[in-house]
Amino acid sequence: MLTGVSETVDDALQRHFEIFGFRPLHPWRGQWSWRDSHLVSSELGSASYPVQPPYEEGDRDFGLFPTLALIGVNMQLEDTGLRATIRWQQR
């Protein structure tokens, strides 16, 4: 999708499917469009120029993890590298 060889959104999604075996779904609201040889989201911008959607009071269905109620990340540097744990709770 980032190679710029596709001419339409459907073509880019089909090439992605052929290579990776799945079609990327648009997260949140909005839709994909094709602009200057790049895939662009009407709500989230592009990979080069991301856009943060505005927060709407009371709206809990936003972002990349709308089904999560809680997420926690703990990290600790050790002699052999970084130890990390992630815990999440679904709504």
Side-chain angles (χ1 to χ4, degrees):
M1 292 185 315
L2 297 176
T3 62
V5 297
S6 299
E7 295 186 22
T8 66
V9 172
D10 289 334
D11 186 31
L13 295 176
Q14 181 58 35
R15 287 176 187 255
H16 188 280
F17 178 79
E18 291 167 2
I19 294 169
F20 299 106
F22 70 95
R23 289 175 165 261
L25 297 176
H26 190 284
W28 205 57
R29 300 181 280 242
Q31 61 185 356
W32 298 118
S33 65
W34 198 249
R35 188 180 318 142
D36 300 326
S37 299
H38 294 285
L39 197 59
V40 178
S41 164
S42 59
E43 296 289 326
L44 305 171
S46 68
S48 301
Y49 301 101
V51 174
Q52 178 70 36
Y55 175 73
E56 297 172 11
E57 188 67 36
D59 184 10
R60 293 188 47 89
D61 186 26
F62 67 94
L64 295 176
F65 306 106
T67 62
L68 294 184
L70 177 69
I71 187 166
V73 180
N74 296 308
M75 293 185 212
Q76 177 177 323
L77 290 171
E78 298 180 353
D79 291 336
T80 58
L82 177 70
R83 180 188 308 242
T85 60
I86 300 173
R87 294 188 175 112
W88 62 88
Q89 181 181 9
Q90 300 235 334
R91 281 193 241 180

